[in-house]
Amino acid sequence: VLRIKLNDLITVFDGVTGEWLSEVTSINRDNIVLQIKKKISEIEEETDLWLIFSPIKLFRMNITIQKATELGVSQFIPCITQNTNQTKINMRNIYINMVEAAEQSERLTLPKLNEVVNLNNLLRDFPKDRGLIFCNENEKNLPNIFKALENKSSIFKKWAILVGPEGGFSETETEAILSISSTIPVSLGKRILRSDTATTAALFAVQSF
Ligand code: SAH
């Protein structure tokens, strides 16, 4: 959004060595040359927090990817469920959204982007040492994230948030999710949230916790 000029100072980062102050020493149509001046910050370790989400229509998926990157997701896992209506996923598009959100939020690392998995396989291989925070809008009286994690934080240090597609999870899927030992079912309140809202709200709560 801002046009840079010769001799401007800008910061650059590579996701590995940190963030660097640099000076623009030449600009032409095809390239720009920067001279690195000094390191201004080290990479900070992100919370180990996966987001397992069902691909949704492009506009809302872009929002999901951007917000989740800003809120510090360490890995995205696109997951196909019974009600997933968007099975073709443009990984390049997800990547572009991650980069833009990382730059915007001054996050110095990019989340990892997992290949697309099927819900059954995901549950079969789900690591035992990671809490699976299952956002479940169907069950009344589930605890909120703060309450639910209070009892679990001595067991798990790593987390994953699972949010369903626009049509939600089927009954069979819900049973399968509840059957694995890492699952922690939670409510995000009494209203039904859209997937992208549910993702943002859940991430904020886990990060605050
Ligand atoms: N069941 C609905 C809507 C699904 S909302 C339908 O029939 O269309 C999409 C996803 O957001 C859900 O699968 C769930 O993971 C999450 N979600 C939405 N509102 C929620 C709430 N109040 N509590 C927990 N999770 C919620």
Side-chain angles (χ1 to χ4, degrees):
V1 285
L2 294 174
R3 250 172 218 284
I4 55 170
K5 308 178 296 299
L6 211 58
N7 303 326
D8 275 357
L9 293 173
I10 67 170
T11 68
V12 291
F13 65 94
D14 59 3
V16 180
T17 64
E19 185 178 27
W20 303 80
L21 184 69
S22 66
E23 184 179 344
V24 180
T25 56
S26 92
I27 304 179
N28 62 44
R29 237 187 50 180
D30 300 320
N31 58 51
I32 165 168
V33 179
L34 302 173
Q35 185 180 20
I36 301 296
K37 296 284 190 192
K38 65 171 185 195
K39 190 182 252 192
I40 51 177
S41 50
E42 300 286 348
I43 299 268
E44 269 179 45
E45 189 91 28
E46 301 285 345
T47 317
D48 191 334
L49 178 56
W50 296 354
L51 176 66
I52 305 160
F53 69 103
S54 169
I56 47 179
K57 286 201 199 80
L58 198 64
F59 172 69
R60 291 197 178 274
M61 186 154 79
N62 288 349
I63 294 181
T64 302
I65 301 295
Q66 289 165 20
K67 302 302 161 208
T69 303
E70 289 169 45
L71 288 165
V73 156
S74 60
Q75 179 160 194
F76 284 104
I77 305 182
C79 179
I80 304 292
T81 70
Q82 227 164 289
N83 289 335
T84 303
N85 47 18
Q86 230 49 32
T87 46
K88 273 210 213 95
I89 301 166
N90 183 336
M91 293 302 229
R92 167 106 195 119
N93 172 68
I94 294 184
Y95 180 77
I96 289 170
N97 276 280
M98 281 179 355
V99 171
E100 194 183 288
E103 287 171 350
Q104 196 272 327
S105 61
E106 300 194 0
R107 173 177 171 162
L108 301 186
T109 57
L110 284 179
K112 289 207 186 76
L113 177 54
N114 205 85
E115 61 194 47
V116 182
V117 293
N118 175 293
L119 183 65
N120 292 331
N121 296 346
L122 176 103
L123 294 174
R124 187 195 60 209
D125 300 334
F126 199 79
K128 299 242 175 314
D129 63 344
R130 182 178 293 273
L132 178 62
I133 301 164
F134 169 34
C135 299
N136 184 358
E137 79 284 12
N138 290 319
E139 181 84 38
K140 301 292 161 231
N141 304 323
L142 282 177
N144 66 32
I145 286 183
F146 281 88
K147 272 258 165 320
L149 297 199
E150 235 170 37
N151 312 322
K152 298 285 183 177
S153 60
S154 54
I155 311 172
F156 300 112
K157 299 288 172 236
K158 303 187 275 187
W159 309 97
I161 295 172
L162 174 62
V163 175
E166 279 156 348
F169 292 107
S170 72
E171 256 173 59
T172 330
E173 287 174 332
T174 302
E175 273 170 34
I177 297 165
L178 291 171
S179 74
I180 69 166
S181 63
S182 316
T183 297
I184 308 163
V186 298
S187 164
L188 300 171
K190 58 178 184 232
R191 284 171 290 271
I192 304 291
L193 308 175
R194 291 185 95 128
S195 293
D196 50 321
T197 316
T199 300
T200 310
L203 274 167
F204 173 74
V206 174
Q207 292 290 38
S208 305
F209 177 81

